[in-house]
Amino acid sequence: GIQVEQSPPDLILQEGANSTLRCNFSDSVNNLQWFHQNPWGQLINLFYIPSGTKQNGRLSATTVATERYSLLYISSSQTTDSGVYFCAVGGTGNQFYFGTGTSLTVIP
Amino acid sequence: ETGVTQTPRHLVMGMTNKKSLKCEQHLGHNAMYWYKQSAKKPLELMFVYSLEERVENNSVPSRFSPECPNSSHLFLHLHTLQPEDSALYLCASSPGTAGNTIYFGEGSWLTVV
């Protein structure tokens, strides 16, 4: 299957700071998604971004498919941004491959 | 409204009990998934169903038994579980075509005592 690596594994930020999370993948993919897992366990879809750049409020994401990586930017972080951020890539058919996540803690 | 609903949200069961987790998707998708997430670990794919047929069984012990009666419903039947099976069980669905997206339910927290 496709290998997905995320970095950093853990991140602690002061409220208001900016951060960049990275997702590297080992092969060509048909899609790429970023998720935020909240403290209650739910995985919230943030972006569907197989290529290009998207922005949604304080969050934005960029995927450079030819170089097999994606970046998630969080600006002016808030305590509610805390949680685990996962990157998932799609291969052929119904296969999805998940990274090990970046655990973000935003402190007031 | 996530489009994928799971029940129950929390379950405590003994090792000799039989219980079931239920998942329903309201998105018209063709593929459904069960994932397991143990504490501080990444998601582990358990089962994939496409158009009600199981297409992946990721070496899951037989004490976990999936059932997909139609494309909108997915069950995970549990029997004679072990304490190490305590985890968050996540159901998901996707349209089932290349380039598609995956959507998750809120998860079922399982504790085996």
Side-chain angles (χ1 to χ4, degrees), chain A residues 2 19 24-25 47-48 51 64 78 83 86 89 95 102-103 108:
Chain A
I2 301 173
S19 62
N24 293 332
F25 44 95
F47 293 102
Y48 168 73
S51 63
V64 183
Q78 301 176 358
F86 287 100
V89 301
Q95 292 284 356
T102 292
S103 178

Side-chain angles (χ1 to χ4, degrees), chain A residues 20-99:
Chain A
T20 301
L21 282 57
R22 187 177 180 103
C23 172
N24 293 332
F25 44 95
S26 62
D27 204 347
S28 300
V29 298
N30 290 314
N31 64 33
L32 187 143
Q33 289 176 257
W34 282 98
F35 295 88
H36 174 219
Q37 187 171 35
N38 65 25
W40 298 272
Q42 187 175 7
L43 282 152
I44 310 291
N45 288 46
L46 297 177
F47 293 102
Y48 168 73
I49 186 164
S51 63
T53 297
K54 289 185 177 179
Q55 179 155 8
N56 184 2
R58 296 181 296 103
L59 302 181
S60 64
T62 295
T63 297
V64 183
T66 54
E67 298 187 22
R68 299 180 184 170
Y69 73 88
S70 183
L71 302 174
L72 178 68
Y73 305 97
I74 304 174
S75 64
S76 304
S77 58
Q78 301 176 358
T79 56
T80 52
D81 295 331
S82 297
V84 183
Y85 290 81
F86 287 100
C87 165
V89 301
T92 58
N94 301 308
Q95 292 284 356
F96 291 89
Y97 302 91
F98 283 80

